[in-house]
Amino acid sequence: MRAVGGLWRWRHNPLRRTTDLVESWVALVALLLILVAAPVIGSLVGFAAQDALQQSVRDQREARHLVTATITGKAARAALEPDPESASGRDSGSQVVANWTAPDGTRRHGEVTTSLEHPRTGDHFTLWTDEHGTMVTRPLDSATATTHAVLAGLGAAMLAAGLFESIRRLIVWRLVRRRYARWDQAWDRAGPDWGRTGTGS
């Protein structure tokens, strides 16, 4: 912001260098890009992600079906502990043997996980399957898809703002190096005895 304010201060200053003006203009352009372009990029990414995720929600709802299963007994092996890094509360449960009818009408039988706390033979519970009755995870819901889209948009906006700021810093770094190089050239032209010039020594 100080560099942007420098645009006004440097207008008629006799000590103004070209690099001072360039640095101020670069800061102004970077500020405008961060305030305007980054949110636009984030919005575009967010809307694109929202469209893709909502389409995925619709596809999953068409391909996955909620069916009712009946417990026929306990599973021969205990249910594996869910991975705390990837599992949610709904992924944990008891392993049982059950019968269910697939959406295509075929009868299915096998070991499945139920969320019932105390499953007993004859109890009914629901599970998600594909068209052929194979167990699948529950479909993505619309609210979760929207949350992911918003996060994608925010991430894209932050990445864009970081990129603009990084470019600004790189340009300023190059300007400072050029400024120092010119100072070195001026010192070389002045010579080692510049302080004694005209003193007769």
Side-chain angles (χ1 to χ4, degrees), residues 59-104:
D59 293 343
Q60 288 184 13
R61 284 182 178 168
E62 289 177 8
R64 300 179 186 187
H65 306 277
L66 197 61
V67 299
T68 301
T70 304
I71 298 175
T72 59
K74 291 187 177 181
R77 57 185 175 86
L80 296 175
E81 288 296 324
D83 181 5
E85 298 276 336
S86 62
S88 62
R90 65 175 176 254
D91 293 329
S92 60
S94 303
Q95 198 80 359
V96 297
V97 178
N99 292 327
W100 66 94
T101 302
D104 62 5

Side-chain angles (χ1 to χ4, degrees), residues 4 16 53 56 65-66 71 81 107 110 117 124 130 132 141 143 149 155-156 163 171 183:
V4 174
R16 180 192 71 195
L53 288 170
S56 179
H65 306 277
L66 197 61
I71 298 175
E81 288 296 324
R107 300 280 297 167
E117 291 185 11
H124 301 286
D130 62 12
H132 307 293
D141 61 89
L163 176 63
I171 293 172
W183 282 349

Side-chain angles (χ1 to χ4, degrees), residues 9-175:
R9 290 195 310 272
W10 286 120
R11 286 182 313 148
H12 304 296
N13 193 320
L15 299 177
R16 180 192 71 195
R17 296 164 296 194
T18 303
T19 55
D20 295 323
L21 278 180
V22 171
E23 184 176 342
S24 297
W25 276 110
V26 166
L28 178 60
V29 170
L31 179 64
L32 291 176
L33 287 172
I34 290 171
L35 293 179
V36 178
V40 169
I41 291 171
S43 298
L44 292 175
V45 170
F47 286 130
Q50 173 76 344
D51 290 343
L53 288 170
Q54 292 301 335
Q55 181 61 47
S56 179
V57 168
R58 290 189 290 273
D59 293 343
Q60 288 184 13
R61 284 182 178 168
E62 289 177 8
R64 300 179 186 187
H65 306 277
L66 197 61
V67 299
T68 301
T70 304
I71 298 175
T72 59
K74 291 187 177 181
R77 57 185 175 86
L80 296 175
E81 288 296 324
D83 181 5
E85 298 276 336
S86 62
S88 62
R90 65 175 176 254
D91 293 329
S92 60
S94 303
Q95 198 80 359
V96 297
V97 178
N99 292 327
W100 66 94
T101 302
D104 62 5
T106 58
R107 300 280 297 167
R108 300 299 298 264
H109 176 80
E111 292 185 4
V112 295
T113 302
T114 176
S115 58
L116 298 175
E117 291 185 11
H118 304 290
R120 293 186 304 270
T121 301
D123 285 349
H124 301 286
F125 64 98
T126 56
L127 55 88
W128 289 97
T129 70
D130 62 12
E131 292 285 345
H132 307 293
T134 304
M135 276 191 61
V136 294
T137 58
R138 67 181 300 163
L140 181 67
D141 61 89
S142 183
T144 302
T146 299
T147 301
H148 288 309
V150 169
L151 291 175
L154 287 174
M158 292 176 65
L159 283 175
L163 176 63
F164 297 144
E165 175 62 12
S166 298
I167 293 172
R168 183 196 72 82
R169 287 176 181 263
L170 178 61
I171 293 172
V172 169
W173 176 73
R174 293 294 301 268
L175 289 173

